[in-house]
Amino acid sequence: ETGVTQSPTHLIKTRGQQVTLRCSSQSGHNTVSWYQQALGQGPQFIFQYYREEENGRGNFPPRFSGLQFPNYSSELNVNALELDDSALYLCASSSGGPGRTTGELFFGEGSRLTVL
Amino acid sequence: AQKITQTQPGMFVQEKEAVTLDCTYDTSDPSYGLFWYKQPSSGEMIFLIYQGSYDQQNATEGRYSLNFQKARKSANLVISASQLGDSAMYFCAMREGGEDTGRRALTFGSGTRLQVQP
């Protein structure tokens, strides 16, 4: 186990609704990133938070937003849900910031979102 | 252009045999890192092995080794002595920029489903 926990594990929403997904990072990790993994595809980078600030974003619209808290846990919020938002959402933590590390990511088991 | 290409959607291997999973990448950044992750049906991505672009030797981690051919931009994963528990999806991923940049975003390939047969 990586020590990264995500909640909820599964949820079903309808189009137009809003959803919040939560992530507790591994102890000592100050960087959290979120990925979207559609069925049959590799994960796609949504954004990264380092010390409570967003410091990297992938090609996702503004209705995907996030927060990182002082204890380095994080939330992913998605507004105005669309059918294509159905996916596994993975949270990953790492020891970020400048410094010599391999930068490997430690992933949680994900939150599987279904939008009807 | 795809940054990470995995051309094998699925692979079969006999238990105890070795298997190579292919990965090619595309980047103009001289400093980058290459990763392999395993994803069982539970969904969690499990880190297997890492290769830095300036590393002189191929990375090894237990039964996993990375065949890094920089000129060809390939980073194939070799699993020796396959076990039934190795059956999973395998993803190759790349981080552009050096390890000291603080950037951690990975670009993943589409994955290879490996099935180990008894």
Side-chain angles (χ1 to χ4, degrees):
Chain A
E1 290 195 4
T2 63
V4 178
T5 58
Q6 293 187 240
S7 63
T9 55
H10 295 82
L11 70 168
I12 299 173
K13 292 285 188 178
T14 56
R15 208 167 35 173
Q17 285 189 311
Q18 178 265 343
V19 68
T20 297
L21 307 178
R22 295 177 175 82
C23 172
S24 293
S25 58
Q26 187 178 96
S27 177
H29 285 178
N30 55 15
T31 299
V32 172
S33 49
W34 286 89
Y35 288 78
Q36 180 195 67
Q37 186 177 19
L39 197 62
Q41 298 182 22
Q44 301 271 325
F45 173 67
I46 303 175
F47 44 56
Q48 172 182 307
Y49 278 82
Y50 171 63
R51 293 186 176 176
E52 301 178 58
E53 292 196 3
E54 183 182 301
N55 74 339
R57 190 177 184 94
N59 190 25
F60 280 81
R63 59 190 186 83
F64 285 78
S65 63
L67 284 173
Q68 187 180 30
F69 300 99
N71 66 355
Y72 303 132
S73 65
S74 177
E75 285 183 355
L76 164 66
N77 298 291
V78 187
N79 294 323
L81 284 167
E82 301 176 359
L83 297 179
D84 285 349
D85 295 334
S86 295
L88 180 68
Y89 288 85
L90 294 163
C91 169
S93 73
S94 61
S95 52
R100 184 126 184 102
T101 77
T102 64
E104 70 189 75
L105 303 183
F106 295 85
F107 285 85
E109 292 193 357
S111 294
R112 189 167 296 281
L113 171 65
T114 301
V115 182
L116 302 177
Chain B
Q2 294 276 359
K3 290 203 169 188
I4 296 287
T5 302
Q6 294 182 253
T7 58
Q8 305 155 314
M11 290 279 287
F12 288 90
V13 65
Q14 290 294 121
E15 197 177 4
K16 301 180 184 178
E17 297 290 313
V19 63
T20 297
L21 307 184
D22 294 342
C23 172
T24 57
Y25 60 92
D26 183 29
T27 181
S28 57
D29 198 321
S31 184
Y32 53 89
L34 297 160
F35 301 77
W36 277 91
Y37 281 85
K38 171 184 178 182
Q39 187 178 41
S41 56
S42 63
E44 183 179 351
M45 301 285 281
I46 302 168
F47 168 73
L48 296 178
I49 196 166
Y50 165 82
Q51 180 86 42
S53 58
Y54 295 120
D55 293 344
Q56 295 296 314
Q57 293 189 328
N58 286 346
T60 60
E61 289 285 349
R63 294 186 298 113
Y64 305 107
S65 60
L66 200 152
N67 184 3
F68 181 45
Q69 297 188 44
K70 196 170 183 177
R72 297 179 59 185
K73 293 189 174 180
S74 75
N76 298 339
L77 176 71
V78 180
I79 305 174
S80 62
S82 297
Q83 302 172 357
L84 295 178
D86 294 336
S87 295
M89 284 292 290
Y90 288 81
F91 290 95
C92 179
M94 176 174 65
R95 183 202 62 239
E96 292 175 287
E99 293 154 3
D100 59 349
T101 64
R103 282 175 280 174
R104 295 292 178 259
L106 297 183
T107 301
F108 285 84
S110 56
T112 296
R113 179 170 297 282
L114 176 66
Q115 294 187 56
V116 180
Q117 298 176 320

